[in-house]
Amino acid sequence: MENEVVLVDLYDRPIGKLPKLEAHRQGKLHRAFSIFIYDGSKLLIQRRAVGKYHSAGLWANSCCSHPRPGEELLEAAHRRLKEEAGVTCQLHEVSSFVYRAIFDNGLSEYEVDHILVGEYDGTFTRNAEEADDMRFVDMRQLSNDVIEHPENYATWFITAYPIFLQAIEKANCSRKG
């Protein structure tokens, strides 16, 4: 049985459900999440597997997915982070945004994307079905590369990454002050 996604309105209120691929074919607004796992000045990123139905081979955040109907956001995030990276850590939401992207293959993303953040200094295990590569990278170098080569990154990452950076900067300032 194909995974279903939660269809939502612009206020992220559930209004129905659809099989994931069908939601992407029809361009229906649905709930999603993007997880950013960091260790100090390093961020865990993944290059999406070549077999993915969109954004294949592009770099993205540590993990991204959709909660299933009836599944709480954090529950879904912990489940997918464990499945995609073998990581278990505390997560918290820092923001959300709506974006839309139409791909060459006729599919689209139209999502309310919740940005979840976790600090983690352990090892990870890449799920080869999800990612062709996964690594911790220096965020300063990553920031420069995103600016110089945005074509190498998934659409949502271009929007979510600066929001993540602002959130951890704000958290670090709060700890110091």
Side-chain angles (χ1 to χ4, degrees), residues 19-39:
K20 182 171 70 170
L21 192 53
E22 194 57 34
H24 290 99
R25 280 190 185 118
Q26 294 182 28
K28 297 291 187 180
L29 183 61
H30 58 281
R31 186 175 293 150
F33 57 84
S34 292
I35 302 172
F36 288 79
I37 300 299
Y38 72 101
D39 179 10

Side-chain angles (χ1 to χ4, degrees), residues 1-14:
M1 183 175 133
E2 184 178 12
N3 283 335
E4 290 184 316
V5 296
V6 179
L7 301 180
V8 295
D9 65 15
L10 285 172
Y11 295 99
D12 196 33
R13 295 181 297 216

Side-chain angles (χ1 to χ4, degrees), residues 2 22 52 71 81-82 95 110 119 121 133 138 149 162 165 168 172:
E2 184 178 12
E22 194 57 34
K52 297 295 249 180
E71 186 177 36
L81 184 59
K82 182 74 172 163
S95 189
Y110 189 24
E119 196 167 2
D121 66 356
D133 194 1
D138 179 82
H149 302 286
L165 289 174
I168 62 167
N172 287 337

Side-chain angles (χ1 to χ4, degrees), residues 2 9 13 20 27 39 49 53-54 56-57 86 88 95 97-98 105 111 121 129 133 143 148 164 169-170 173:
E2 184 178 12
D9 65 15
R13 295 181 297 216
K20 182 171 70 170
D39 179 10
Y53 57 94
H54 71 75
T88 302
S95 189
F97 64 99
V98 176
N105 64 2
E111 297 181 336
D121 66 356
E129 291 180 14
D133 194 1
S143 295
E148 293 174 15
F164 156 74
E169 182 177 317
K170 184 178 177 180
C173 287

Side-chain angles (χ1 to χ4, degrees), residues 40-104:
S41 64
K42 295 180 181 174
L43 176 66
L44 183 63
I45 62 173
Q46 64 166 275
R47 187 171 58 224
R48 291 172 57 85
V50 195
K52 297 295 249 180
Y53 57 94
H54 71 75
S55 305
L58 296 179
W59 287 98
N61 43 285
S62 313
C63 173
C64 48
S65 191
H66 310 88
R68 296 172 179 154
E71 186 177 36
E72 293 295 323
L73 182 68
L74 280 175
E75 177 187 355
H78 284 288
R79 173 181 54 79
R80 288 302 295 160
L81 184 59
K82 182 74 172 163
E83 292 169 359
E84 287 193 27
V87 170
T88 302
C89 69
Q90 186 174 3
L91 298 171
H92 66 278
E93 184 172 358
V94 297
S95 189
S96 64
F97 64 99
V98 176
Y99 79 99
R100 186 167 192 191
I102 299 171
F103 303 105
D104 292 340

